[in-house]
Each structure stands twice: as structure tokens, then as C-alpha cells.
Amino acid sequence: MQASQRPMEKVEQYYYVFNNNSNDTSSSGTQFSCQSQNEQFFTLDSLPAAGYVIYDSPPAVSVSSNWSPFSPQYSQSTISDQHHSSDNTYGSPLSGCSGVDGVLSEMANKLLGPESDIDDSSCCSFNDVVSEPSSPTKWNRVLEIASSLDVKELLLACAEAVSDAYFPAAEVLMNVLEHKVSVSGEPMQRLSAYMLEGIRARLFSSGSIIYKKLKCKEPTNSELLSYMQVLYHICPYYKFAYTSANVVIDEAMANENRLHIIDFQIAQGSQWMFLIQSLARRPGGPPSVRITGVDDSQSAHARGGGLQLVGERLAKVAESCRVPFEFHAAAISGYEVELENLYIRNGEALAVNFPYILHHMPDESVSTANHRDRLLRLVKSLSPKIVTLVEQESNTNTAAFVPRFRETLDYYTAMFESIDAGRPRDDKQRISAEEHCVARDVVNIIACEGADRVERHELFGKWSMRLKMAGFTPCPLSPSVGEAINDMLKDYSSNYRIAESKGALYLGWKNRALATSSAWR
């Protein structure tokens, strides 16, 4: 085996999956297991607009529309039409009801009869559907038909009961749910198992004491790394992040001889192995590369050691490619980063990478320090040549509990279905990967509030406003970015799609956008 081949073989081995997926999750949540009456459930405590191009994978199709990416009603002009489409499985990111109107309408028929005059285009609440003067009366009627409801209906009813603080009904509904969920079942059954645990956790003082109440066993370093590898191979979400950012950075730095890359989620450092190899092929010789890696506790746990391991791996890759290289470790949580942690030098072209991490920074709704915007202003003050941002396309940051619950259900339904397409239904590795790498985010979003809720995703429109307020301007993505992602998607289900809108590249499953990649300067 030649030395120059070894780094490529180790890239995927050390790739680290982003620790998030919704607007509110713990960055280093404790794992726990709960025993139900039927089976054991495991989670990690807490688990756009006009004119875009659709690239179906693999063939590319260009469509002009007034709707957000992945909305099937490309030429329609009313949101209600979008809700009624049988094609719109998960709803549009612009939909306030997240595609559950049909479910609520059916529930209205069951509760009030087919003659009900409720307008299903405007019903976004179980309380609206079952409008009764007396809360006990309302919930008594719900409980009468609870056994006939499917898991999605039960989850929505349970969330409304918790929101109403009508806990007897919530307890009964949770007991019914226990018999209908399974971590090895269909995607909705699996997601419902984790959302059920999220509701339970919320009842323990909004999830704040769940870490103390539930006994748990952390996976070993090798186990957690294995779970991350499984998701890395099953889904393209992580490859979407580093592939798009690498193309943008490579193009932006084409004429630079000294590069400094600041990565706010360095994890295993695998993303930069590919970029170093690409830079090594530059005509005229490679530039010198310096990387500052910001650490988090979850990454350290997965690595089985500190950031020096990342630096060693990257140094070996650079040496084999004959790329001058230097690594600096910033072993600190992203929201704590200050100027002195970033090792800025004059004469270096600066690139800053935010891969699925900025949503972990508390904003103005959590703390007056507003580290989310503070960090963007800090980065802007460094005059970077390029900034890359990849985030999940979900709207759960400041939403109230019930809308946040619906959005989580909508978003992760698509996520779990896409995961399901990558491995057999009973695959134990997939089950473990979902438990340890996805479920903690779901639970945190549902169970926690305030500072305890660290998965706080925002839609691209909100990120765009934040970046512009910090002084950034959008940098249009070249066709090379879409081409690279399209090429990558050839290895995955044809249900994955990419779309470009307002300077951002969207990755989605069917008609639901799940992640965005954008560039700024």
C-alpha cells in the first residue's frame, strides 16, 4: 500500500456526523434507555422564494417557480393549494402547519362527525379541531377514540394535551402510543418512539432533570464512531456539507498562496483531508495551509482523544501530498470563542467554515449575550475572504411548543424515511445510529427549554438576515457546487433532490428541504 493512498482510505473512517437536527438539541446530551411495557427504547437525552433550479438526481431539470425549494406546486400562488396536494408529503418549509392539516381534519371528522364545517386549510391546532368549552369534555372525547388513532394523530394529540397541561389525557395517550411505536419499525413508528420519549422527558420539568432521572451508558469511543460512520454512508447530509464547502473554498482561494481555515466544528477533520488533496493538484504547486480547529465535547468523545489527534491525521495527509501545513487547536465550545482563540496572522487569506454548528450558539431568545450574532460579528471583523454556512432547514428556534413539535415531526419524518431507504428495516447498525446520533436531537427539541435547549435551527431566510446584519454579503455559488453535489447524489436514492434559490443550495428528501449550503464574504 502506497503512503499516498492511505489518507484516502482513512477519510471515511474518521468522518464525524454533525450533532444536530432541529432547532433545539443538546450538543453533548446524555444517553439513556427507557423500558416500556413492550420493548426497550433508547435515545440520547434531551435525539424560499422566487426563481430556483431543481436538480433531480441524477438528471437535472430546470423549473421556474414562486415556491420554496421542493414544493410540488411550482406555479401555484396559494399556500392552501399546497396543503391539499397529495404529493406534498411533508409540507413546504413555508407552511405554517407543516403538512399535518389532513391528519387534523380526519380527527375532526372522527370527533365531530362528517358534517363538521371546520375549514381544514386553516386548522393548525388540535385544540382548534376539537373546540369545546370544557377542556375535560374535549379530552374525554379524544380519549374515547384514542385507540383508533394512528401514531401521528396520537403524537399531535399528546402534544396538545401537554400544552394544555391536561396531564391525565397526556398519560393515557402516551400509554396508547407505547403499543404503536417501535425503534425497528417503519420510519414513523421509529420517530414516534423517540418523540414519545421527548414528551416524557418534557414532563420532568421540561426535560431539565432527565439527565439525572434516567440511567444511561455512554457508548464507547469506537461504538460512537461506528454509529457516525453508519449515518455517513446511509445519508448524504454530511457529504453535502463538506463537499459544497470545499468547492466554495477551493474556488475562492484559487489565487492565494497562504490559506488559513477556521473550522468551528472540526470533529474528525475529514473534510480537510479532501481539500488538502485537491490543493496538492493546483497548477504551479500547492499553497501553504493552516487550519484552526474548534472543538466540542461530543467530537472529543468520538475521537477518543483531544484535538492533537486531528492535527496529526491532517499533518500526515499534507505530508503525503507535499502541502505545507500547520494546525492549531482551539479546544473550546464555539459560543465561547474569542479573537485570541483564532490565531489570526497578517498576509493569510482567511476562510471560515460553519458546518451544522451555528444553530447551537444561543441567540437573543436565550441570552442577552446573543453569542450567535456576536460570533458572526467577530468573524466579519476578521475580513474573511469566504465564509461557508451549512445548516438544517428547520424552524424551531423560537417557536412555541406545539408549533415546534409539529415542525419536528414534519422535518424528521422526512429524515427518518430517507435513512430507511439506506438500510434494511431490521438493520441493527441503522437502529443504533438513529438512537445515538439522531434521537438525542429530537428529544432535546421537544423536552427542553431555555439554555437546556441547544438544538435551535432556523430557516435560511433568518440566517440570511443575521449574516447581512453582521455586515456580510452573499457570494453566489458557481455551477461547480451543484455539479459536485449532483455527482455525489448518484450513490443515493433518487428521492434526494437539490435546488438553488436566492444564493443557497438546498438538499431535500422528496418535497421537503432538509439542509442548505451558502457562501458569504
Side-chain angles (χ1 to χ4, degrees), residues 260 288-292 315 318 323-328 345 348:
H260 180 196
S288 65
V289 178
R290 192 162 65 92
I291 294 179
T292 296
V323 174
F325 179 77
E326 189 177 344
F327 181 82
H328 291 283
R345 293 177 185 169
E348 293 180 327

Side-chain angles (χ1 to χ4, degrees), residues 1 25 31 36-37 56 64 112 133 196 204 239 262 271 288 296 309 352 356 371 421 429 474 502:
M1 183 183 301
T25 300
Q31 302 174 355
S36 73
Q37 296 177 1
D56 278 327
S64 176
L112 306 179
L196 173 58
F204 286 96
K239 291 182 181 179
I262 299 174
Q271 173 177 348
S288 65
D296 66 19
L309 295 179
V352 178
Y356 295 118
H371 292 292
Q429 286 188 322
K502 289 192 171 180

Side-chain angles (χ1 to χ4, degrees), residues 169-216:
E171 183 177 0
V172 172
L173 291 168
M174 286 190 293
N175 289 337
V176 175
L177 264 171
E178 279 186 348
H179 297 276
K180 297 191 175 189
V181 302
S182 169
V183 295
S184 59
E186 297 179 354
M188 180 57 69
Q189 289 179 305
R190 304 200 307 268
L191 172 58
S192 298
Y194 301 124
M195 295 194 74
L196 173 58
E197 294 304 334
I199 294 173
R200 283 196 176 119
R202 187 176 181 86
L203 296 180
F204 286 96
S205 301
S206 297
S208 62
I209 64 172
I210 193 69
Y211 303 103
K212 300 177 183 178
K213 287 288 185 181
L214 297 176
K215 294 181 179 180
C216 60

Side-chain angles (χ1 to χ4, degrees), residues 93-108:
L94 298 181
S95 166
C97 300
S98 298
V100 300
D101 303 9
V103 174
L104 297 178
S105 178
E106 291 177 10
M107 296 172 73

Side-chain angles (χ1 to χ4, degrees), residues 292-325:
T292 296
V294 179
D295 187 45
D296 66 19
S297 58
Q298 187 62 47
S299 296
H301 176 69
R303 279 193 303 269
L307 278 171
Q308 75 277 3
L309 295 179
V310 175
E312 291 169 4
R313 291 167 188 155
L314 292 176
K316 289 179 181 179
V317 175
E319 183 180 6
S320 70
C321 297
R322 298 184 178 181
V323 174
F325 179 77

Side-chain angles (χ1 to χ4, degrees), residues 148-270:
S148 66
L149 300 178
D150 63 28
V151 291
K152 190 170 185 178
E153 294 168 330
L154 284 167
L155 282 171
L156 292 169
C158 209
E160 292 283 356
V162 171
S163 179
D164 278 0
Y166 201 71
F167 302 121
E171 183 177 0
V172 172
L173 291 168
M174 286 190 293
N175 289 337
V176 175
L177 264 171
E178 279 186 348
H179 297 276
K180 297 191 175 189
V181 302
S182 169
V183 295
S184 59
E186 297 179 354
M188 180 57 69
Q189 289 179 305
R190 304 200 307 268
L191 172 58
S192 298
Y194 301 124
M195 295 194 74
L196 173 58
E197 294 304 334
I199 294 173
R200 283 196 176 119
R202 187 176 181 86
L203 296 180
F204 286 96
S205 301
S206 297
S208 62
I209 64 172
I210 193 69
Y211 303 103
K212 300 177 183 178
K213 287 288 185 181
L214 297 176
K215 294 181 179 180
C216 60
K217 178 181 179 295
E218 291 259 347
T220 65
N221 299 329
S222 59
E223 286 174 344
L224 185 54
L225 189 57
S226 176
Y227 303 147
M228 294 169 179
Q229 290 171 354
V230 170
L231 279 187
Y232 170 74
H233 290 292
I234 290 177
C235 308
Y237 304 115
Y238 321 124
K239 291 182 181 179
F240 171 75
Y242 77 69
T243 300
S244 59
N246 278 359
V247 173
V248 168
I249 293 172
D250 198 0
E251 292 183 341
M253 300 298 189
N255 298 316
E256 301 293 341
N257 294 320
R258 297 175 60 197
L259 277 60
H260 180 196
I261 299 170
I262 299 174
D263 188 348
F264 275 87
Q265 178 82 344
I266 190 68
Q268 307 300 319
S270 302

Side-chain angles (χ1 to χ4, degrees), residues 376-450:
L376 288 176
R377 291 193 298 269
L378 172 62
V379 169
K380 180 59 181 175
S381 72
L382 305 178
S383 300
K385 184 152 190 180
I386 197 70
V387 173
T388 53
L389 174 69
V390 180
E391 278 294 346
Q392 291 153 250
E393 184 70 354
S394 185
N395 187 24
T396 59
N397 181 23
T398 58
F401 173 66
V402 173
R404 187 168 80 235
F405 188 93
R406 289 197 198 97
E407 172 72 356
T408 303
L409 178 59
D410 183 52
Y411 184 92
Y412 283 96
T413 295
M415 175 70 74
F416 272 69
E417 184 174 314
S418 71
I419 294 174
D420 195 63
R423 284 289 180 95
R425 186 67 49 83
D426 60 350
D427 186 277
K428 292 183 179 180
Q429 286 188 322
R430 179 202 50 74
I431 295 172
S432 295
E434 287 179 346
E435 291 166 358
H436 295 289
C437 299
V438 182
R440 61 170 172 261
D441 298 342
V442 173
V443 174
N444 179 262
I445 294 166
I446 295 171
C448 299
E449 298 292 350

